Amino acid sequence: MARLRSLIPSPLLHVYHALQGWFWAAAYGFPARGVTVIGVTGTNGKTTTCHFITAILKAAGHTVGMQTTIDVEIAGMVTKNNSKMTTPGRRRFNALLRQMRQAGCTHLVLETSSHAIDQSRIVGIPYTAAVLTNITRDHLDYHKTMDAYAATKLRLWSEQQLELSVINRADPRWATFYEQPAKRRLLYGLAEVSSEQGIAAEVIKLGKPTTFSAVCGDQKLPITLNLPGRFNIENAMAAIAVGVGLDVPSSAIASGIASVTAVAGRMELVEAGQPFTIILDYAHTPDALEKLYQTVKPETDGRLIAVLGATGNRDRGKRPTLGALADQYADIVVLTDEDPYDEDPAAIITAVQAGVKHKTVGQTLYTAPNRADGIRQALDLAQPGDSVIISGKGAEEVMAVAGGKLVPWSDRKVVERALAKISA
């Protein structure tokens, strides 16, 4: 089927996707009509932002449905998303939305991918609000250029009749999105936004927790943020802007943000009594990986040990950049498998290694085609005070291998088994 679709001219394929989208939306009774639908799109930060928005809405007393890359929540019941799809296919997506409606959800928070927009998976879903987190390099295997990638994201604005538009002022393309019509438009950011334009973060104190004030007009809302990193301030600000735009009480906004203490696979700590820090993170784009390293390195007393790879059948041009970032920020680099799909894992590692220019093989640079071996290698090398960052898969519970197969996989379980052997 995939080979057949590849032979269909692009305009006809878009018509096919649109017809499929409308058919399944109609077949399930247009389940998203009559509720508040909030879509979050962008390259990085979507999942965490969705969790913040959901927490704010729940704090305000709403019944919420949420679909993200890692999980699905329906009226408080949470299940894993092991499909390796941010936004499900058209039939499955509409079936899920109907489940949410039947469970009494009045608000739907949907992580919305560029693939979903381009393939009409969201046709028939009337979005109330749209959020742009950022646009950085990703999915160029599919979209080919950054301009095409951004133009696809923009369709979430241009093809909907939005009541609320929330845009990250720090993104270079912010103005293009902000110009799109909506009943209410809000910018958010750190130093880039005046309180008249939207929501600005002021008087930031990084730490555990991070505290800052969200400023809108002459109103200042004290915020306690329990997730580390400046990038999580941006994610929280996006959610705060949604809360403000939907007239959620300020007390619910503040308590909702404070209630999020962890998001699986996003700066996730593994604690088993070891004398060094272990962090699991989904970061797989240059921007996300650099922000991750920039957050962890200053907090590391010893060495930074980076375990990473790159996804097969995806944007090959970013692989040396990922290696270069690990080379720049980490003291020891371990290159390993990630989700090879139909590519040779060793060839992917070689492409990432091309960016590692300042490490010595066998001393500060190691390669391990088997991901479990790579993780064990990093943990064996770790000393008290070190930080081990295992990136690329986060909380995923499957690995994509040749033949379109998804095999069981968990970075956390591999780490926990390795630590048990080390301490034995």
Side-chain angles (χ1 to χ4, degrees), residues 293 303-309 319-320 322-337 346 348-369 373-374 377-378 381:
Y293 291 155
R303 302 167 302 171
L304 181 61
I305 302 174
V307 181
L308 72 153
R319 294 173 185 175
L322 297 174
L325 288 168
D327 189 30
Q328 176 183 351
Y329 289 99
D331 300 286
I332 297 175
V333 176
V334 180
L335 301 178
T336 190
D337 200 8
I348 298 174
I349 291 173
T350 298
V352 178
Q353 187 173 346
V356 183
K357 306 291 189 182
H358 305 96
K359 299 291 186 286
T360 303
V361 175
Q363 296 180 22
T364 53
L365 174 62
Y366 301 85
T367 59
D373 290 341
Q377 174 79 73
L381 291 168

Side-chain angles (χ1 to χ4, degrees), residues 5 17 46-47 67-72 80-93 96 110-117 119 121 139 266 282 314 339 341 396 398 400 406:
R5 283 198 297 266
H17 285 316
K46 299 187 297 296
T47 296
Q67 160 74 38
T68 77
T69 301
I70 63 171
D71 54 9
V72 175
K80 290 278 189 179
N81 176 9
N82 287 327
S83 68
K84 288 195 69 66
M85 294 177 70
T86 294
T87 309
R90 292 166 287 268
R91 179 178 184 177
R92 183 169 166 230
F93 197 24
L96 176 64
L110 308 178
E111 185 174 347
T112 305
S113 68
S114 59
H115 289 70
I117 298 168
Q119 295 171 7
R121 298 182 210 166
H139 303 306
R266 273 63 178 172
Y282 184 61
R314 299 294 186 269
D339 285 288
Y341 286 87
E396 289 186 335
V398 293
L406 298 178

Side-chain angles (χ1 to χ4, degrees), residues 211-215 219-225 240 250 253-255 257:
T211 57
F212 62 93
S213 293
V215 183
Q219 301 295 314
K220 285 193 176 184
L221 179 61
I223 297 294
T224 298
L225 174 63
I240 292 167
S250 58
I253 293 174
S255 62
I257 295 295

